[in-house]
Structures are given as C-alpha cells and as structure tokens.
C-alpha cells in the first residue's frame, strides 16, 4: 500500500476518501495460479497495461511505473508465500475535501491479495443459468466503458443483484442498441456451427484479457472466432454459450431466460477450450509460457 507492505488489519482508509464518495477508483483483477514450476501470475503485464489505460481515461496519474507495480505484485506474492489467489490493484484519491475536482488530493495505490476460489463453485463444470438484465450496459457516450473504474460497477452490481433475486446465477446485459454486451464481470461467447461468436468493443464491453486468451487458444485449436453484434434471441438458439473473466475464469452458460442452451450441459467446444485454458493457467502447456509471470 503506497510503496510499503502493510499488515492486512492495518490496511485502512479514511471515511472521507474521495473515491469512496464519487466512485473514481481504478482497479484491476488478476489471478495467481500454482504451476509445476511454482506460482505464476497470469498475464500480469496485460493487466497492468489495462490499469494504466483505465487511469488515463479517467485522468488519473499512477505514481509508479508499470515495472515498479509488476515487481511489487511479484514481491507481494513472495512475502505472503501465496500459491494461488486473486490480486486486486486499486488506485484512489484520499480524503481532504468533497469538491468533485480531485485537485490536491493524494493518489493512493494498493495491491491486495485475496483468497478466492471458483467464482461459480461447481457450476464451472455444470454451467450457470443466466438472465437478460432489465438494466442496459453503460455506454461509451456516458463513461469510458473500457476502463475498470469503480463507478462503472454500479451498473454491474444492479444487474447482478437483480439476477440473483430472480433465482438466476448471473446476468447478461444488453447495450442501448439492443445487442448483447456482457455479464456484470464477464465477457460472453456463443458457439454456432462450430464457430465462436463474441460481441465487439463497440458493444460497450470491457475488453477482457480472458476473452483475448480464449480467442487465441481457440485459433491455435483451429476454432474460428467471429466478432460481431449478437441479438438477444441468438443467445437462446446458440449451440453452446460461456462466460470468460479473471474471477469467473471460463464458465458454461446452460440456460438463458428459461431457454435451455444446447442440451443443457457444458457443450463439447466449451469443454475442449475450458480444459485447455485450465491447463494453460497451471503451466501445463509450454506454448503459453509467455502468459505466466513466475514468482521466483
Ligand atoms: N467485463 C467486465 C465488466 C469485467 O469486470 C470483467 C472482469 N475484469 C470482464 C469483462 C472480463 O475481463 P478479464 O477477462 O480481463 O478479467
């Protein structure tokens, strides 16, 4: 926290923290996995790159270099002797005044290791039931949707609690043009006629690093990905569907709005990609070692 290792119980902030009041905190979410060659952070550089881009969109300056944050993340894993965890870097303005303009406020950076197993528990295999949200995904005319800014997540949170209250596992948000955007914290893919289809950047999605990893693994397996708008009805008639995200990893979607997707189980292409992806995360495929930042 701000360049020092701080004990968990001492990592506190003031109630007047500017970013708590206005949602102007920038964050990331990454994971560290145990591999045969020791623990490794998955695609650390790409996550830090997005952290800097998110900050830039919201005119926030990170008072460290990417290299300093990369080293700090690896050191953090080392001092905690962690094998597997979720890692949450966060950038926020401290307390001082309540004016909207953050001028003069201290910029803080913390990197927090969080124990976090499977986001959807055993549904990582069985698949989740999703509901099209009554909330639309935030739109690039309103806020930078590609930025991981805390305020953006008010939208995700509304969709998530609505879906849970209605008895579903997860929400899927449409954009204001009526096309599928993404889940509250995941990108969406469907499978039709052996090809993957996923919404484009202009759908207002957060450009997921897992989304990118899955597209690359799919390509290497000879599976084509088409990036195009997806209308809601196409989800219902897809052969297979799945979510991707750092927290949710890769999780099959087996039902949308009460319509069963495919035969209601994890589909063959989803299964094949998921097995390969989990092997890649745990360092079982040398072809993807570039994506692993080992903690030595
Ligand atoms: N969309 C949203 C809104 C998210 O919060 C996330 C999680 N960061 C994703 C998609 C997936 O992104 P990634 O694969 O980089 O975790």
């Amino acid at each position: 926290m701000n360049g020092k290792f701080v004990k968990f119980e001492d990592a506190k902030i003031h109630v007047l923290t500017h970013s708590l009041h206005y949602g102007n905190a920038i964050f990331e979410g990454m994971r560290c996995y145990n591999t045969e060659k020791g623990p490794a952070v998955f695609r650390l550089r790409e996550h830090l790159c997005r952290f800097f881009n998110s900050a830039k969109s919201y005119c926030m300056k990170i008072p460290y270099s990417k290299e300093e944050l990369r080293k700090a993340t690896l050191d953090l894993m080392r001092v905690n002797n962690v094998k597997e965890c979720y890692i949450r870097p966060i950038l926020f303005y401290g307390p001082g005044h309540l004016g909207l303009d953050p001028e003069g406020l201290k910029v803080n950076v913390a990197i927090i290791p969080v124990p976090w197993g499977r986001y959807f528990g055993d549904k990582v295999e069985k698949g989740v039931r999703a509901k099209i949200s009554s909330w639309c995904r935030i739109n690039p005319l309103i806020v930078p949707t590609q930025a991981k800014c805390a305020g953006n997540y008010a939208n995700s949170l509304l969709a998530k609690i609505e879906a849970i209250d209605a008895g579903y596992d997860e929400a899927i948000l449409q954009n204001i043009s009526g096309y599928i955007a993404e889940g509250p914290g995941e990108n969406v893919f469907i499978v039709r006629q052996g090809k993957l289809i996923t919404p484009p950047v202009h759908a207002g999605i957060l450009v997921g690093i897992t989304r990118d990893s899955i597209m690359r693994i799919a390509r290497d397996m000879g599976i084509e990905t088409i990036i195009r708008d997806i209308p809601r009805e196409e989800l219902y008639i897809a052969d297979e569907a799945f979510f991707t995200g750092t927290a949710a990893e890769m999780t099959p979607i087996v039902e949308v709005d009460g319509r069963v997707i495919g035969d209601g189980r994890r589909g063959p292409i989803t299964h094949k990609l998921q097995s390969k992806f989990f092997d890649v995360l745990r360092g079982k495929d040398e072809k993807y070692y570039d994506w692993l930042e080992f903690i030595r």
Side-chain angles (χ1 to χ4, degrees), residues 50 137 148 153 182 184-187 206 208-210 244-246:
R50 190 170 65 188
R137 167 76 180 158
K148 273 186 88 73
Y153 282 80
E182 59 181 345
E186 311 90 358
N187 293 115
L206 183 92
I209 290 161
T210 320
T244 63
T246 299

Side-chain angles (χ1 to χ4, degrees), residues 83-266:
K83 302 258 182 290
E84 299 219 347
C85 70
Y86 180 87
I87 308 166
R88 166 59 52 86
I90 186 160
L91 170 77
F92 60 97
Y93 289 113
H97 61 73
L98 281 176
L100 273 180
D101 184 359
E103 184 60 35
L105 297 178
K106 184 176 174 198
V107 177
N108 301 273
V109 180
I111 309 174
I112 316 152
V114 183
W116 203 350
R118 294 263 189 251
Y119 191 70
F120 289 113
D122 63 357
K123 288 176 181 154
V124 70
E125 284 162 19
K126 288 194 293 194
V128 292
R129 297 170 54 245
K131 176 194 190 299
I132 300 289
S133 185
S134 71
W135 297 100
C136 282
R137 167 76 180 158
I138 46 169
N139 165 307
L141 289 174
I142 313 290
V143 284
T145 57
Q146 291 190 51
K148 273 186 88 73
C149 175
N152 292 7
Y153 282 80
N155 176 240
S156 292
L157 197 134
L158 285 166
K160 179 83 190 182
I161 57 179
E162 180 191 62
I164 299 294
D165 283 352
Y168 291 85
D169 301 305
E170 191 54 298
I172 296 175
L173 293 94
Q174 298 173 103
N175 57 35
I176 58 164
S177 305
Y179 294 103
I180 298 302
E182 59 181 345
E186 311 90 358
N187 293 115
V188 175
F189 285 78
I190 60 172
V191 181
R192 296 199 75 187
Q193 286 147 357
K195 291 178 183 154
L196 304 184
I197 310 172
T198 195
V201 175
H202 71 238
I205 61 166
L206 183 92
V207 185
I209 290 161
T210 320
R211 173 182 179 269
D212 178 73
S213 308
I214 293 297
M215 289 196 291
R216 159 88 190 277
I217 291 169
R219 194 186 67 202
D220 292 350
M221 287 178 139
I223 302 166
E224 189 189 336
T225 305
I226 301 164
I227 299 176
R228 66 156 169 83
D229 285 322
I230 302 174
R232 171 185 194 158
E233 66 195 277
E234 216 179 341
L235 270 182
Y236 300 159
I237 57 172
D239 302 326
E240 302 176 33
F242 59 86
F243 284 122
T244 63
T246 299
E249 299 169 311
M250 186 179 162
T251 302
I253 303 169
V254 291
E255 191 188 308
V256 180
D257 294 344
R259 278 85 162 176
V260 171
I261 309 301
D263 64 3
R265 282 178 299 181
R266 172 174 61 185

